[in-house]
Amino acid sequence: MLAPAIETARETRSAAPVLEARGLTLDYATERGPVRAVDAVDFTIAEGERLVLLGPSGCGKSSILKAAAGFLPPTAGTLSLRGRPINGPGPDRIVVFQEFDQLLPWKTVLDNVAFPLVVARRKKKGEAREIAADTLRRVGLERVLNSYPHTLSGGMKQRAAIARALAASPDVLLMDEPFAALDALTRLQMQRDLIDIARETGLTLLFVTHDIDEAVLIGTRLHLLSAHPGRTITTLDASAFDIRDLGTAAFETVSRKVHDTLFGRTRAAS
């Protein structure tokens, strides 16, 4: 009998979803004509959920994230935020990428985090700096408030980028393989920090990764996608796990289930 953590998660929610995709189809224009990246994908994310998109390379994970950010318009279907169609970028959705150099090099860490609050949220500079300082303390960067990005390690830069996103209080945080370029120990610490922050703040998260263990660890639900073009295979519940469960039999059972679902389906399709 399978553990409860790998049962198929129900898409029906009692509360209205924060983010919802229905029949989401995404194409890219090429010289030879449109190329389909994502085909008729459905998912929802409720308040405080962490949905992880997981699938083979080229399955459209990052394309879905770009569409949620408002950078890529749907070819068909709908993508909505709190019931409103997403028609472009906005401060209600903040993206954290895997690249370290997401900060403005001429501004201190504190001013990097405060800057979007002034521009997008229209906070006064003093108030924005107070919010930024509080958020940076929450992610363990209180010692580098007045440092410049070039003096920080890769992990600290990513932590600052996450702090900048959290300070803006987005409806949903979008993360595209944010820890992929970090060394193993720093990556594990960042995963732990993200889980802690999400639980403390009730963060709503759409997270993209190619790492199965990371997906099981970070996500409350896992949305599995087929090989190109990306289509929904299933959604699994992974809410039972946190960092203490790494390496346990239950955790490994879920990871194996995800692996077999993805790559078994991939082989059958080929």
Side-chain angles (χ1 to χ4, degrees):
M1 181 175 179
L2 297 177
I6 56 177
E7 291 177 353
T8 300
R10 290 178 294 178
E11 285 290 341
T12 303
R13 295 290 181 269
S14 57
V18 175
L19 189 68
E20 182 174 26
R22 289 296 174 217
L24 179 64
T25 299
L26 302 171
D27 290 347
Y28 285 97
T30 70
E31 293 180 354
R32 297 181 179 180
V35 172
R36 181 139 299 175
V38 175
D39 188 29
V41 165
D42 296 338
F43 64 80
T44 63
I45 310 178
E47 196 86 43
E49 281 193 321
R50 304 188 300 273
L51 184 71
V52 177
L53 300 177
L54 187 63
S57 296
C59 71
K61 300 184 296 292
S62 293
S63 297
I64 292 173
L65 200 86
K66 290 175 183 176
F71 301 142
L72 181 64
T75 303
T78 61
L79 188 60
S80 58
L81 183 75
R82 298 195 185 278
R84 301 184 302 274
I86 293 174
N87 297 316
D92 45 16
R93 288 149 288 133
I94 305 294
V95 185
V96 176
F97 299 100
Q98 68 173 270
E99 293 82 4
F100 294 152
D101 295 323
Q102 302 175 56
L103 306 175
L104 301 173
W106 61 89
K107 289 183 177 289
T108 64
V109 171
L110 179 64
D111 287 333
N112 260 285
V113 175
F115 181 68
L117 296 175
V118 175
V119 174
R121 294 294 186 184
R122 299 181 180 177
K123 302 287 187 183
K124 292 183 179 179
K125 186 174 181 180
E127 182 184 4
R129 286 171 65 88
E130 287 181 8
I131 294 171
D134 180 65
T135 309
L136 285 163
R137 291 187 189 100
R138 189 186 303 166
V139 300
L141 291 181
E142 61 273 12
R143 296 183 180 180
V144 297
L145 298 183
N146 297 311
S147 299
Y148 287 88
H150 74 273
T151 67
L152 306 183
S153 67
M156 293 171 77
K157 288 179 181 178
Q158 281 300 73
R159 207 176 297 241
I162 292 171
R164 182 173 61 183
L166 293 173
S169 299
D171 285 348
V172 59
L173 179 60
L174 311 171
M175 305 188 82
D176 191 3
E177 300 197 51
F179 311 139
L182 299 174
D183 65 84
L185 291 178
T186 303
R187 181 171 186 163
L188 186 61
Q189 182 62 53
M190 293 297 294
Q191 292 166 344
R192 177 185 289 113
D193 291 344
L194 179 61
I195 293 169
D196 289 344
I197 290 168
R199 287 175 173 166
E200 289 172 10
T201 63
L203 177 70
T204 303
L205 176 65
L206 179 61
F207 191 98
V208 166
T209 183
H210 64 274
D211 186 297
I212 292 175
D213 283 354
E214 180 172 72
V216 176
L217 183 63
I218 296 293
T220 55
R221 290 190 300 133
L222 315 179
H223 194 81
L224 308 188
L225 297 166
S226 67
H228 178 86
R231 298 184 178 95
T232 297
I233 299 174
T234 190
T235 303
L236 302 177
D237 181 4
S239 59
F241 298 105
D242 66 21
I243 202 78
R244 294 168 296 184
D245 298 301
L246 275 172
T248 64
F251 190 95
E252 293 302 320
T253 297
V254 175
S255 294
R256 173 55 58 183
K257 168 71 174 180
V258 172
H259 180 278
D260 291 347
T261 300
L262 288 174
F263 295 103
R265 182 68 64 94
T266 300
R267 285 194 297 269
S270 61

